[in-house]
Amino acid sequence: MTVPSPRRKPAVLFVCVKNGGKSQLAAALMRHEAGADITVTSAGTHPGVKLNALAVEVLKDLGIDVGAEHPKMLTEEAMQAAGLVIVLGTEAAVPEIAGVRVETWVTDEPSLRGIEGRARMELVRDDIHTRVKVLKEHLLAEA
């Protein structure tokens, strides 16, 4: 009798430059959507010192508290642990690592249409949220 090998829990690492806005939004939204079913981390290629206040605010609108989060440096170890790296936007450059899949999400940038402040961040959040929901379904289907 063969015993099925245990399934590896899906994991994803969200990356942007500062790890203060878009990657934190994506990580928080994935945790919110997937709960404990997916391991979620985030990092930045040049992390800032704090989270974007508007990102924190628009997550609170959905009942998501990221008060304990802080920007973290991207490491090869974190990339390998996740196996899947989602780069938000085109500014962050991540190294190529064997066995690590890297995808880039060119997210909505409302400021290009003259939309700034809270309205901009709500649109960014909603675009990322839509993408996260689709990714969650794919990751859980592959598990």
Side-chain angles (χ1 to χ4, degrees):
M1 178 165 116
T2 55
V3 177
S5 60
R7 290 181 162 182
R8 182 175 184 265
K9 183 167 138 177
V12 61
L13 168 63
F14 293 102
V15 176
C16 66
V17 174
K18 293 182 181 178
N19 191 224
K22 291 180 180 181
S23 59
Q24 290 282 352
L25 283 167
L29 291 163
M30 182 62 84
R31 285 186 199 102
H32 179 73
E33 290 295 328
D37 293 339
I38 297 172
T39 300
V40 181
T41 52
S42 70
T45 55
H46 295 88
V49 294
K50 62 182 180 177
L51 299 191
N52 178 303
L54 285 175
V56 172
E57 197 175 301
V58 299
L59 285 169
K60 279 185 184 174
D61 292 347
L62 301 179
I64 302 170
D65 181 11
V66 291
E69 290 295 326
H70 62 280
K72 297 165 281 305
M73 175 63 82
L74 177 66
T75 64
E76 288 188 15
E77 294 80 13
M79 292 177 68
Q80 290 169 334
L84 172 61
V85 176
I86 304 292
V87 180
L88 289 106
T90 57
E91 295 175 358
V94 301
E96 288 186 29
I97 298 174
V100 176
R101 192 170 92 214
V102 177
E103 294 180 18
T104 300
W105 288 356
V106 180
T107 55
D108 182 29
E109 188 41 69
S111 63
L112 298 175
R113 300 186 305 276
I115 302 169
E116 298 291 343
R118 183 177 171 84
R120 172 193 171 268
M121 193 59 72
E122 288 171 347
L123 290 169
V124 169
R125 176 203 61 202
D126 294 347
D127 176 39
I128 292 171
H129 200 180
T130 298
R131 293 167 185 260
V132 159
K133 288 176 183 178
V134 171
L135 177 61
K136 177 193 86 167
E137 295 305 320
H138 285 301
L139 290 175
L140 294 177
E142 292 174 356

